Amino acid sequence: MPMTDLLSTVEIETTPNPAYVVIWLHGLGADGNDFVPIIDELKLSSQKGIRFLFPHAPMRPVTINNGYVMRAWYDIYGARIDSEEDEAGIRDAQKAIDALIDHEIQRGIAARNIVLAGFSQGGAIALQAGLRQKNQLAGIMALSSYLPLACYLADEAHSANAAIPILMAHGTFDPIVPISLAVVSRDGLRNADYALEWHEYPMEHTVCMQEINDIDCWLQRILL
């Protein structure tokens, strides 16, 4: 299901003419509004001019949910989300995020001031797109997520983002994306010499206040 048009987004700017952009991708079945409330929880939002973009994933049937049509960045075939991956869907989503990045650069934002962030499926696409992006970005954040198409990364990773800061955070009781899968992704990225910061929390497939504080600190360090 190619995503040929620019994704529709919820766009919120903390100041006029912001210098930074955070593109934040929602999880399966949610939409761009899902993480809008987090802006007010970040101290960073009152300190720096940031354009937050919360794109809406396209509507598509999702196999694991009996073909029910919902917003999804790619299809999920079974409970073991890494056992058989929707490579075409993942790559289409990557192209859609690349187009958003190009659009922000055309609007005058320096690529090095752009962060890709996401939760669950959204975090997977943030890693997929960010590590392959030809422009040097500020950072990648993957919450309750994992690295998709990991077997291709060594051949496809772009040197422009070889030193990109990565934040991964996960709940130890996550029943949707098991922390064991996230740990495999974390270790694989670290073994590939990526600068990865890791946090885990006693929670399920969600976001907690301590995590938001850690996100805030990380963003303040990378958005110079």
Side-chain angles (χ1 to χ4, degrees):
M1 186 181 298
M3 305 180 199
T4 53
D5 298 326
L6 201 65
L7 293 168
S8 62
T9 66
V10 177
E11 179 176 313
I12 297 173
E13 296 182 347
T14 62
T15 64
N17 304 312
Y20 304 94
V21 165
V22 176
I23 301 173
W24 202 309
L25 313 180
H26 63 78
L28 178 67
D31 67 17
N33 295 290
D34 198 34
F35 276 89
V36 169
I38 208 169
I39 295 175
D40 291 335
E41 303 293 340
L42 298 171
K43 298 182 183 68
L44 178 85
S45 299
S46 63
Q47 298 168 355
K48 291 184 182 290
I50 302 174
R51 176 182 299 135
F52 287 91
L53 294 181
F54 302 94
H56 302 294
M59 301 291 288
R60 68 171 74 234
V62 176
T63 302
I64 195 173
N65 291 335
N66 299 313
Y68 187 79
V69 175
M70 61 181 63
R71 292 198 182 277
W73 295 108
Y74 52 91
D75 197 6
I76 299 289
Y77 297 128
R80 286 196 57 193
I81 54 179
D82 61 328
S83 61
E84 181 184 1
E85 297 184 278
D86 175 18
E87 181 178 345
I90 291 168
R91 294 192 185 280
D92 281 343
Q94 174 192 339
K95 292 173 186 174
I97 300 310
D98 286 344
L100 272 184
I101 292 170
D102 288 344
H103 183 64
E104 290 307 303
I105 293 171
Q106 291 165 12
R107 295 173 77 183
I109 300 294
R112 65 182 179 277
N113 288 346
I114 297 175
V115 174
L116 285 186
F119 176 80
S120 196
Q121 259 203 348
I125 296 304
L127 287 168
Q128 171 74 18
L131 296 173
R132 292 164 173 80
Q133 170 60 217
K134 65 184 184 296
N135 298 293
Q136 183 182 346
L137 304 177
I140 302 170
M141 184 196 313
L143 311 176
S144 301
S145 193
Y146 67 101
L147 177 68
L149 304 184
C151 61
Y152 298 111
L153 182 62
D155 293 330
E156 297 176 358
H158 201 289
S159 58
N161 287 292
I164 191 168
I166 301 171
L167 174 68
M168 291 188 72
H170 216 96
T172 53
F173 306 119
D174 191 332
I176 307 298
V177 181
I179 192 170
S180 57
L181 177 57
V183 166
V184 169
S185 296
R186 176 199 70 188
D187 293 348
L189 289 167
R190 283 179 170 169
N191 289 339
D193 293 326
Y194 285 102
L196 189 147
E197 181 175 325
W198 171 265
H199 295 274
E200 56 187 68
Y201 313 92
M203 64 180 188
E204 296 191 353
H205 196 63
T206 185
V207 176
C208 66
M209 198 63 225
Q210 181 57 55
E211 182 178 15
I212 292 171
N213 292 337
D214 291 334
I215 290 168
D216 198 26
C217 291
W218 181 78
L219 285 171
Q220 296 208 44
R221 288 199 302 274
I222 69 167
L223 296 182
L224 303 175

